[in-house]
């Protein structure tokens, strides 16, 4: 499978695109406004202990306090003293109470597991992990693990044996996917650096104000090199000469093979435009995604879960309906997996495939979905079809969705995704005019609205406006403004005839003046 990494460095913003067979499957963006905090390590202070939730809130210096669940706390007896008699210590280790572990005002070192999302603060843990190129050091636990992406059992055993030989005492290591077919001498510099880094963090714990940052994870480019730029990547293309030189230096210490795959292009060239990535990003924020066969999927995110609906759309199939539905669902399963990864959708996901009567067809669709999800670095779990014919799955929620980085809430629709119809806008506008003119003695009102609203108001040659003027006992002067939002209107009171005449003669875009009689006496 062809894989490419495209890095666009522009002013203060860095964008990283990961392509598989020319399709955009991951996009990462970092700038001054949005700084990633996952992986950062802080010295924080406990602000609230909540026994009912078995959790605590920790001030780590961000806008919102971080959330620390009891299961994410290191219960090593050397780290925490348990309340109560010694005979209760072992029981407390297996089923600890948050009250026994933390108290308000206590200083604690934590690492961010999940970004702050919406109204929720970051989720943190006391189990520190420090990722390197080939290994992840876990200084607070004694454990060895191997990436689930290394599937060959003999290779897993070989890597585990090497890791047992080089593992620091009383610390843990996880073997990363990049370690595949590597040797001990490849891992030793990695581990030495991570141990040095951990000792440095421990030294910083002892001095300084609280809360404070002890360790910041690498910037987006070096995280990309560490996590994405593996042996199966064909090209890494970047438009910053400064970072290009740094990446070449990095390959000297990690993999000389990768050096020849790094390519520099001039910053004058729009690198994302050249590879069609700009268009792909634009499509990644749309609700509807078209399939190659003419079908489509609709992606509807909510606060609690994400719902994905599959439709045949323009696809009419071939021989029979059963085959048409199966073909659409199988292609949709591939696209759903890609969109989940691209949009960074986490939490509960419900997929409404087109109804299938055959259990065998259902199994085929789930197999396609599982196979496609194997390429996702974030942990997923497909539960299969429910009794209602829906597929339920979960994906670990680590970061905000892509739309959070690219979009902001609409100030008009307040998150509904819809706006009032022109008739509803008119109804609200007429009520406002009644309130404004009642008992005021106004000669008239200049009303400025969107052209779509004005057009509806003037149907039947403005007969509705004439009736309204009679009811208000006040004139209406109507002006269209295409720059106004369809829900907005500007109302300007006209105290007398001369004001109305001045407005009429100074505005060429007045579209309604039926009842204005300037020969009458001023009111």
């Amino acid at each position: 499978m062809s894989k490419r990494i495209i890095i666009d460095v522009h002013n203060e913003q860095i964008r990283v695109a990961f392509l598989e067979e020319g399709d955009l499957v991951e996009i990462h963006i970092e700038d001054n406004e949005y700084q990633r905090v996952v992986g950062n390590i802080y010295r924080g202070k406990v602000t609230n202990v909540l026994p009912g939730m078995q959790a605590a809130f920790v001030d780590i210096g961000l806008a919102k306090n971080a959330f620390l669940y009891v299961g994410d706390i290191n219960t090593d007896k050397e780290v925490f003293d348990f309340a109560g008699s010694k005979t209760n210590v072992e029981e407390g280790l297996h089923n600890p109470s948050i009250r026994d572990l933390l108290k308000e005002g206590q200083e604690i070192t934590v690492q961010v597991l999940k970004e702050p999302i919406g109204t929720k603060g970051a989720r943190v843990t006391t189990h520190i992990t420090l990722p390197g190129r080939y290994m992840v050091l876990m200084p607070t636990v004694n454990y060895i693990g191997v990436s689930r992406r290394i599937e060959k059992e003999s290779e897993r055993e070989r890597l585990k044996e090497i890791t047992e030989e080089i593992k620091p005492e009383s610390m843990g290591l996880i073997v990363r996917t990049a370690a595949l077919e590597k040797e001990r001498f490849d891992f030793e510099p990695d581990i030495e650096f991570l141990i040095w880094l951990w000792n440095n963090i421990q030294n910083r714990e002892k001095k300084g104000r609280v809360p404070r940052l002890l360790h910041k994870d690498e910037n987006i480019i070096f995280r990309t090199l560490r996590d994405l730029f593996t042996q199966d990547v064909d090209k890494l293309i970047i438009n910053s000469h400064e970072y290009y030189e740094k990446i070449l230096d990095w390959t000297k210490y990690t993999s000389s093979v990768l050096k020849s795959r790094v390519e520099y292009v001039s910053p004058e060239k729009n690198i994302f435009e050249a590879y069609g990535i700009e268009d792909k990003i634009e499509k990644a924020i749309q609700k509807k995604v078209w399939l190659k066969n003419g079908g489509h999927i609709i992606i509807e995110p909510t606060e609690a879960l994400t719902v994905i609906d599959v439709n045949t759309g323009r696809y009419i199939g071939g021989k029979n309906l059963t085959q048409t539905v199966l073909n659409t669902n199988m292609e949709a399963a591939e696209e759903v997996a890609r969109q989940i990864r691209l949009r960074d959708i986490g939490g509960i996901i419900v997929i409404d495939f087109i109804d299938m009567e055959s259990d065998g067809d259902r199994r085929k669709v789930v197999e396609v979905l599982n196979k496609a999800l194997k390429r996702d670095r974030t942990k997923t779990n497909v539960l299969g079809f429910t009794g209602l014919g829906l597929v339920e799955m979960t994906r670990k929620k680590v970061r905000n969705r892509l739309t959070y980085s690219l979009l902001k809430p609409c100030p008009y629709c307040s998150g509904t995704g819809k706006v009032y119809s022109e008739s509803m806008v008119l109804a609200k506008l007429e009520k406002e005019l009644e309130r404004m003119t009642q008992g005021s003695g106004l000669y008239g009102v200049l009303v400025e609205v969107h052209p779509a609203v004005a057009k509806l108001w003037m149907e039947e040659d403005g007969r509705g406006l004439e009736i309204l003027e009679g009811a208000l006992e006040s004139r209406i002067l109507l002006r269209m403004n295409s720059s106004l939002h369809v829900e907005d209107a500007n109302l300007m009171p006209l105290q007398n005839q001369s004001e109305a005449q001045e407005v009429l003669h100074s505005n060429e875009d007045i579209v309604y003046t039926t009842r204005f009689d300037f020969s009458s006496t001023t009111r």
Side-chain angles (χ1 to χ4, degrees), residues 83-342:
S85 63
K86 291 183 179 179
T87 57
N88 293 330
V89 170
E90 290 301 323
E91 182 183 348
L93 286 171
H94 293 293
N95 190 24
S97 168
I98 194 77
R99 278 179 173 161
D100 296 329
L101 300 175
L102 299 175
K103 61 180 182 292
E104 291 183 10
Q106 179 178 341
E107 292 185 10
I108 187 171
T109 297
V110 294
Q111 185 174 34
V112 177
L113 283 176
K114 295 182 181 179
E115 296 277 347
I117 297 175
T119 59
K120 299 176 182 178
R123 181 169 174 178
V124 294
T125 179
T126 64
H127 297 290
I128 308 300
T129 57
L130 297 173
R133 172 67 173 167
Y134 302 115
M135 297 279 175
V136 177
L137 179 69
M138 300 181 294
T140 62
V141 294
N142 194 349
Y143 170 83
I144 290 178
V146 180
S147 168
R148 62 190 173 95
R149 294 183 175 279
I150 300 176
E151 297 178 348
K152 191 176 180 181
E153 197 56 40
S154 59
E155 179 66 5
R156 292 177 65 87
E157 285 300 320
R158 184 187 74 85
L159 291 170
K160 192 172 181 180
E161 288 174 9
I162 295 175
T163 307
E164 285 173 344
E165 295 172 5
I166 60 178
K167 184 180 77 69
E169 187 177 351
S170 301
M171 292 187 183
L173 286 174
I174 294 177
V175 183
R176 307 191 71 183
T177 309
L180 184 69
E181 298 180 356
K182 297 295 181 181
E183 301 296 335
R184 174 173 176 159
F185 61 83
D186 293 307
F187 307 144
E188 287 175 336
D190 216 17
I191 295 171
E192 287 174 12
F193 170 75
L194 294 174
I195 292 173
W196 171 85
L197 184 60
W198 173 239
N199 290 333
N200 199 25
I201 291 169
Q202 285 184 303
N203 290 333
R204 292 180 190 170
E205 278 184 312
K206 301 169 186 175
K207 52 189 176 182
R209 60 180 179 79
V210 176
R212 67 181 182 277
L213 178 67
L214 299 178
H215 166 72
K216 183 174 176 60
D217 199 11
E218 300 283 3
N219 79 8
I220 189 171
I221 290 180
F222 289 99
R223 288 201 311 272
T224 299
L225 299 178
R226 183 188 70 197
D227 301 336
L228 289 176
F229 195 27
T230 52
Q231 299 287 345
D232 58 348
V233 173
D234 305 303
K235 279 282 184 184
L236 185 150
I237 305 167
I238 188 167
N239 61 357
S240 165
H241 196 270
E242 177 188 354
Y243 279 114
Y244 170 72
E245 294 291 345
K246 289 180 179 179
I247 292 171
L248 292 182
D249 288 340
W250 176 85
T251 59
K252 292 177 185 176
Y253 299 100
T254 54
S255 174
S256 57
V257 176
L258 294 176
K259 183 177 180 180
S260 62
R261 303 180 190 179
V262 183
E263 182 180 317
Y264 168 74
V265 298
S266 169
E268 296 176 1
K269 180 181 180 180
N270 188 330
I271 190 171
F272 269 33
E273 193 76 48
Y275 285 90
I277 298 171
E278 298 288 11
D279 289 339
K280 290 180 171 70
I281 293 174
E282 187 66 32
K283 290 177 181 177
I285 62 176
Q286 304 299 322
K287 286 169 50 174
K288 180 182 285 190
V289 180
W290 287 99
L291 304 176
K292 292 176 182 176
N293 68 9
H296 65 263
I297 62 176
I298 303 291
I299 302 172
E300 290 278 7
T302 71
E303 188 71 23
L305 52 81
T306 299
V307 179
I308 301 176
D309 184 35
V310 180
N311 298 281
T312 53
R314 296 191 294 257
Y315 181 52
I316 58 174
K319 296 181 180 179
N320 56 64
L321 176 62
T322 301
Q323 193 62 42
T324 299
V325 169
L326 178 60
N327 290 344
T328 303
N329 282 341
M330 290 176 68
E331 185 176 340
E334 284 265 6
E335 187 62 32
V336 164
R338 191 176 75 86
Q339 290 295 326
I340 287 172
R341 183 179 172 192
L342 172 59

Side-chain angles (χ1 to χ4, degrees), residues 412 418-426 429 448-454 481-489:
Y412 298 106
K418 300 181 185 297
V419 294
Y420 281 120
S421 65
E422 289 85 351
S423 59
M424 188 63 186
V425 172
L426 276 183
L429 182 55
E448 188 176 46
V449 294
H450 187 274
V453 177
N481 185 346
S482 58
S483 65
L484 277 179
H485 187 272
V486 69
E487 291 182 351
D488 288 345

